[in-house]
Amino acid sequence: MSKIMNKNSLKNLTFNNRFYNELTADPITENYPRQVKGAFYSKVKPTPVKAPQLVSYSKEVATLLDLDEETCRSDQFSQIFTGNDSLKGMQSYAQCYGGFQFGNWAGQLGDGRAINLGEVLNSAGEHWTLQLKGAGITPYSRTADGLAVLRSSVREYLCSEAMFHLGVPTTRALSLTLTGEDVVRDMFYDGRPQAELGAVVCRVAPSFTRFGNFQIFAARGELEQLKQLTDFTIKNDFPHLGEPNKETYIKWFEEVCIRTAEMIVHWQRVGFVHGVMNTDNMSILGLTIDYGPYGWLEDFNADWTPNTTDAINKRYRYGHQPQIGHWNLGQLANAIYPLIEDVEPLQQALKLYEKCFDQGWHAMMTKKLGLDEYKPQSDNNLFSELFQILSLVETDMTIFFRKLVDIDCSDLENNTFTNEDLIKPFLDAYYQEDILNEPDQVMQGFIKRIADWIRSYRNRICQNTTKKSVRRATMNATNPKYVFRNYLAQLAIDKADQGDFSMVNDLLELFRHPYDEQIDKEQYAAKRPEWARQRAGCSMLSCSS
Ligand code: AMP
Ligand code: MG
């Protein structure tokens, strides 16, 4: 009886820790920074903290784990998900991985401040790995402290859930808790360290394996471990591919290429800039992982990156993400080459990435514009001119695309529309709202070009044969109304730092329905206010978190 009543409680969580039990552990169990050779992970326990306090939890992720609200609000929940307590069946560990950072091989990195608690086997038969981010040092912490601050934890927590509801493949977040301890951070590496509130996010994903997990073995010539990890990954995360062998390895790499392409198409669709696409931050499952100095395009600018650490080369800028996906996959191909010993199929798979990305991108743009089908002859020009007009003057990407749905061609015969008539519906998307009154000739030239694009777009949608309602539904399910604007993150953080978590929870609720008009939440769809233009955290972020 009591078992039935408590079926959603923590003690009923079932663990099946495949990574921990099927792969070899580092034989050293003391917790100090070191190079870990020949092993997949190190056993390590979270560092206990002073005063765990739940800030927020995601009910959808709790449901994945068969946990109910009462359980998530219990003291035991906060204790467990800050690392103060553990459950029967949990086996905690930090993974060993390497990575290419900003184009250079960086050697061993590993879970420096992430500690996995084990894999929950839920009532639907799914495995979900639980991982605490910010729960103390591990053998991979190098010289850092293994901790995370509230600022970066709010960003990770809300963004992973927002991305999920936007339909972007991502790791999830179960909970955000305060540790009751201060963490010192020099946010802009300018010699002004400050005490910030310490926090822990419990991340959840089928697995947290990264490209870098394979690369570390390849770099060290540990080919037996490379093969074991690949076999393990195929068996557990890609079971549909069948028994691991050379052929399966190729199919597996092809699928990683496809999934990565699909993920990046989604990023481009919603205007997400990851900010640190190092190979240690690339998930083998094609999930968005490691929310650090990411940002959302506000005014459309393909050269924008939020990451101040990358300000000079802008390697990870919005418009370069697709190429970086390709480069990172090329590095993964090099790492797994010893298992395949044939360059050709790996090169073919990389070509498949390009093909998938191109097809996916065109299909995505076709939906964003509400076209029945993609007609390369006319649409390539339409797309490229669109990106030109979006960058002529500061134009909010999200608002512009959302408003496009209201353009229609029922009055096409009416050719008397002036440039002003055509642009008026979009005025809200312009950062300089009195753009139409600008006497400057250059600006008037821009206005004509924007209006001409709207004219061609009107002509183009007249070729649609499906009902208008279909176009509207497609566009409104592709062009979000609400995204996690950089300034919204900062406002929520400012309040949270003062102990007010209402905006964190408001945004979590808002992002559950990013494609719906939410009449009373209109303010969250507003473009970036002027004060946020140069403010740290809104337009500039560092890796310090
Ligand atoms: P990132 O580029 O932020 O994903 O981090 C690169 C590496 O640095 C990873 O191995 C992280 O685990 C590690 N790292 C980042 N921040 C910390 C920290 N505060 N303490 C320990 N390790 C960290
Ligand atoms: Mg990382």
Side-chain angles (χ1 to χ4, degrees):
M1 179 68 186
S2 68
K3 194 156 188 202
I4 293 171
M5 281 173 62
N6 291 332
K7 74 179 193 309
N8 297 117
S9 78
L10 288 162
K11 74 174 184 349
N12 280 330
L13 284 182
T14 304
F15 286 89
N16 178 20
N17 306 324
R18 299 169 303 179
F19 196 93
Y20 186 97
N21 289 311
E22 293 175 32
L23 298 170
T24 318
D26 168 12
I28 303 174
T29 50
E30 284 140 86
N31 191 2
Y32 64 91
R34 58 180 176 269
Q35 291 292 307
V36 174
K37 303 269 172 71
F40 299 79
Y41 66 88
S42 304
K43 297 179 182 176
V44 61
K45 295 218 176 329
T47 306
V49 298
K50 223 188 262 168
Q53 183 196 344
L54 182 71
V55 170
S56 180
Y57 78 96
S58 155
K59 63 182 184 204
E60 293 83 1
V61 181
T63 303
L64 284 180
L65 303 174
D66 305 315
L67 297 175
D68 61 18
E69 176 173 357
E70 191 190 338
T71 302
C72 295
R73 296 203 178 279
S74 67
D75 179 55
Q76 196 194 9
F77 182 92
S78 309
Q79 299 289 342
I80 288 171
F81 294 108
T82 41
N84 271 7
D85 194 1
S86 86
L87 292 167
K88 192 165 149 272
M90 279 182 171
Q91 292 168 305
S92 57
Y93 61 99
Q95 290 189 355
C96 180
Y97 56 78
F100 282 87
Q101 297 189 318
F102 298 96
N104 304 304
W105 177 243
Q108 178 184 299
L109 298 165
D111 287 332
R113 56 159 163 184
I115 297 181
N116 302 279
L117 301 177
E119 297 171 55
V120 168
L121 178 60
N122 73 5
S123 57
E126 299 159 343
H127 282 82
W128 292 101
T129 303
L130 308 181
Q131 183 181 82
L132 302 184
K133 185 166 175 179
I137 59 161
T138 76
Y140 308 95
S141 299
R142 296 174 286 164
T143 56
D145 59 8
L147 304 175
V149 293
L150 181 59
R151 159 174 60 88
S152 63
S153 306
V154 165
R155 286 170 50 82
E156 167 120 29
Y157 174 74
L158 284 178
C159 200
S160 10
E161 290 308 284
M163 292 282 267
F164 169 75
H165 293 292
L166 283 163
V168 185
T170 179
T171 61
R172 306 292 301 273
L174 170 67
S175 57
L176 168 62
T177 35
L178 284 167
T179 60
E181 296 181 4
D182 282 349
V183 174
V184 175
R185 284 287 178 269
D186 185 357
M187 190 168 29
F188 282 100
Y189 307 119
D190 61 358
R192 289 184 299 166
Q194 283 191 352
E196 298 188 45
L197 298 176
V200 173
V201 170
C202 177
R203 309 199 284 192
V204 177
S207 94
F208 286 94
T209 306
R210 302 141 189 271
F211 290 9
N213 290 73
F214 301 87
Q215 291 171 324
I216 190 72
F217 293 133
R220 289 172 168 166
E222 294 172 345
L223 300 186
E224 188 46 41
Q225 284 83 349
L226 175 68
K227 182 174 179 315
Q228 278 177 33
L229 181 65
T230 309
D231 291 355
F232 174 87
T233 301
I234 291 174
K235 186 176 122 221
N236 294 300
D237 291 322
F238 297 78
H240 51 281
L241 296 178
E243 277 304 303
N245 55 41
K246 273 194 190 188
E247 241 171 71
T248 325
Y249 297 148
I250 295 164
K251 286 207 196 105
W252 167 68
F253 182 62
E254 285 171 356
E255 189 167 333
V256 176
C257 289
I258 294 170
R259 289 192 193 195
T260 305
E262 288 171 350
M263 171 184 79
I264 299 177
V265 167
H266 280 292
W267 290 359
Q268 304 307 93
R269 170 174 67 83
V270 297
F272 174 80
V273 187
H274 183 285
V276 208
M277 291 176 73
N278 294 333
T279 59
D280 51 303
N281 292 337
M282 296 292 292
S283 138
I284 203 71
L285 297 180
L287 304 173
T288 313
I289 190 172
D290 277 11
Y291 291 89
Y294 67 83
W296 293 79
L297 277 192
E298 283 163 341
D299 56 293
F300 183 87
N301 174 1
D303 288 337
W304 185 70
T305 174
N307 185 355
T308 49
T309 316
D310 190 24
I312 304 213
N313 295 322
K314 296 188 193 298
R315 178 180 173 86
Y316 298 138
R317 62 193 182 272
Y318 172 77
H320 206 215
Q321 297 190 123
Q323 284 91 319
I324 290 293
H326 186 266
W327 192 88
N328 287 344
L329 285 161
Q331 301 312 314
L332 178 62
N334 287 339
I336 61 168
Y337 171 80
L339 303 179
I340 295 164
E341 294 176 310
D342 188 2
V343 175
E344 181 60 23
L346 292 168
Q347 281 177 340
Q348 287 304 326
L350 290 170
K351 288 212 173 92
L352 182 65
Y353 168 85
E354 288 174 47
K355 192 171 145 214
C356 270
F357 181 83
D358 280 348
Q359 279 178 352
W361 190 84
H362 287 121
M364 176 273 281
M365 282 305 297
T366 304
K367 281 194 189 163
K368 268 182 106 63
L369 296 187
L371 310 176
D372 276 0
E373 56 170 330
Y374 167 53
K375 298 182 181 171
Q377 279 212 323
S378 58
D379 295 345
N380 285 346
N381 283 340
L382 191 74
F383 297 164
S384 61
E385 181 61 7
L386 170 60
F387 292 116
Q388 294 297 322
I389 62 136
L390 285 175
S391 1
L392 284 179
V393 282
E394 264 189 311
T395 315
D396 190 89
M397 174 183 179
T398 307
I399 299 178
F400 186 91
F401 275 101
R402 186 77 181 180
K403 296 236 176 234
L404 267 184
V405 75
D406 294 326
I407 300 286
D408 107 32
C409 66
S410 50
D411 51 3
L412 193 66
E413 285 72 51
N414 183 351
N415 279 328
T416 60
F417 284 127
T418 63
N419 293 345
E420 285 71 22
D421 293 335
L422 289 166
I423 291 183
K424 238 179 218 147
F426 296 94
L427 281 185
D428 203 23
Y430 292 104
Y431 278 84
Q432 184 192 335
E433 281 189 38
D434 54 357
I435 177 174
L436 289 174
N437 305 323
E438 183 63 64
D440 176 63
Q441 277 218 334
V442 176
M443 187 60 98
Q444 286 306 318
F446 288 168
I447 286 171
K448 177 174 182 313
R449 201 164 157 193
I450 296 168
D452 282 344
W453 184 85
I454 298 171
R455 288 188 183 94
S456 354
Y457 177 58
R458 280 161 55 89
N459 288 335
R460 177 64 183 85
I461 52 180
C462 288
Q463 297 168 24
N464 274 359
T465 52
T466 49
K467 283 203 206 129
K468 271 192 209 167
S469 58
V470 173
R471 170 170 170 261
R472 176 166 283 277
T474 305
M475 289 179 80
N476 282 345
T478 312
N479 299 317
K481 166 93 179 191
Y482 300 99
V483 295
F484 194 20
R485 293 173 175 278
N486 312 312
Y487 79 90
L488 291 179
Q490 195 53 42
L491 288 175
I493 290 165
D494 289 344
K495 287 194 174 173
D497 275 336
Q498 302 303 314
D500 173 0
F501 307 122
S502 57
M503 191 165 169
V504 170
N505 284 302
D506 276 0
L507 290 178
L508 181 69
E509 182 56 35
L510 176 83
F511 295 140
R512 292 198 160 106
H513 306 285
Y515 298 99
D516 293 356
E517 296 291 327
Q518 301 182 45
I519 305 301
D520 53 335
K521 305 276 177 61
E522 205 52 35
Q523 75 274 21
Y524 292 137
K527 58 180 178 274
R528 178 197 57 218
E530 254 332 280
W531 62 259
R533 185 183 284 275
Q534 299 298 343
R535 188 168 159 206
C538 298
S539 54
M540 296 170 291
L541 292 140
S542 75
C543 288
S544 160
S545 57

